[in-house]
Every structure is written in structure tokens, then in C-alpha cells.
Amino acid sequence: MTNFRRIQAPITDIVVDDSSCEVDDLAYCGGVQVIVPATQGWDDLVARAVASDWVGIEALSAIPGTVGDAVCANVSAHGQAVADTVVSVRTWDRSVDAQRTFPLADCTFGSGTSAFQESLADGSERFQILDVAFLFRQGDLTTPIVEEGLARLMGIDVGNRVPLGAVREAVRR
């Protein structure tokens, strides 16, 4: 008997599922699920999110690297973290030579860390992130700004909401 392994085709571009925006669809409460290849530039994703009115990563602009890098390190800044919007992470697990998808609960995100930083005995990385599914709320305003430094930079009080693009521009300065 031959063993066959089903391998999902790689994601080569951002895939947007906004079908949950339908009036009768309560699956994601009006959110937008976006699947992004790990090789996509992180700041490019932030720019796309801001331009598309996807709330949740606008303050994470100007962080260098790829989506995979940002997820692996669970980057955070200005009161936001990558883990706040991740739904799942699809990886290649080098220890068993197979794909493995981690739901958010299994990503073990912490401050600057995740399950994807595990190493093999030879020192190489166990997981190669292939793509990441995010769930963004829709809107043109941020959630209330919680970090004092960002609020001061923007000339607003903590707790205020501002346009997504204003946060991105402030962070990029």
C-alpha cells in the first residue's frame, strides 16, 4: 500500500474572503479573513490593511521583514501585536516532513515569541511558515489608542480613536 500525502498548493498572493460581510452571515461577525503568504512584506500587508479598512495592525507599520518573520516573533508595538489578528498559521514541519496548521490557540504567542521559534537538534528551525490567516474587523477608525507614547505622538488623549491611515503615518515618522 502506498502512502499519499496531500499537499496544499502554496499561497502566492493575498487571498481575501469578505463573504462574511453578507447581512445573513454571522460566521465572522462581519470580519474579513485574509490569507497571506509568509514571504509577503510585513509593511506591505499593513499598507494594504489600512487602504482596505482592515483594523488591527495599523500601528505595526514600519516593522521590517516578512509576514512570516512578524508572526514568528509575534511583533508588537504601540499597543498592538500580531497575535491580536491571527486565526491560524500553516507551516512545513521539518521534523516530520509534512504540513501542519496551527490554530491560534496552539501558536503559543508570547511577548516576542511563538511556537514557530522551536529548533531541531541540529539547530535548524523546525517550522517554516507558509502562510497566515488573519481576521480583521472592518472600519476606518482604530480601536481606542492605549499606548501613551503613540497618543502623545498623535496629539490625542489615550482612549481616543483616529483614522487608520493617521496611525500608520505617525508610526512611520
Side-chain angles (χ1 to χ4, degrees):
M1 178 178 210
T2 304
N3 289 329
F4 291 97
R5 197 176 325 156
R6 180 183 163 98
I7 298 178
Q8 183 177 347
I11 301 292
T12 57
D13 199 4
I14 294 176
V15 177
V16 179
D17 177 2
D18 61 1
S19 63
S20 60
C21 298
E22 302 296 324
V23 174
D24 294 329
D25 189 349
L26 299 177
Y28 294 124
C29 302
V32 176
Q33 184 170 343
V34 180
I35 301 172
V36 184
T39 56
Q40 175 77 40
W42 175 256
D43 199 47
D44 294 339
L45 174 61
V46 175
R48 170 90 183 260
V50 168
S52 301
D53 291 337
W54 302 335
V55 179
I57 60 173
E58 59 280 353
L60 298 176
S61 191
I63 293 174
T66 65
V67 167
D69 297 334
V71 169
C72 185
N74 185 31
V75 297
S76 62
H78 309 293
Q80 290 184 336
V82 170
D84 297 340
T85 54
V86 169
V87 173
S88 64
V89 179
R90 189 169 65 96
T91 68
W92 185 260
D93 185 342
R94 292 180 176 105
S95 71
V96 293
D97 199 27
Q99 287 186 43
R100 177 175 175 192
T101 299
F102 289 76
L104 174 61
D106 293 341
C107 293
T108 62
F109 286 121
S111 179
T113 190
S114 70
F116 314 110
Q117 294 181 353
E118 185 178 335
S119 297
L120 296 172
D122 67 2
S124 64
E125 295 176 349
R126 176 176 175 185
F127 299 105
Q128 176 186 353
I129 297 176
L130 302 174
D131 54 61
V132 182
F134 295 92
L135 183 61
F136 298 113
R137 285 177 290 110
Q138 293 181 307
D140 57 356
L141 296 177
T142 64
T143 57
I145 302 296
V146 296
E147 190 202 47
E148 287 183 30
L150 180 59
R152 195 171 35 257
L153 179 67
M154 299 194 67
I156 62 170
D157 293 326
V158 170
N160 284 3
R161 298 172 67 197
V162 297
L164 299 177
V167 170
R168 181 167 191 266
E169 288 308 311
V171 169
R172 292 178 60 81
R173 279 185 262 142

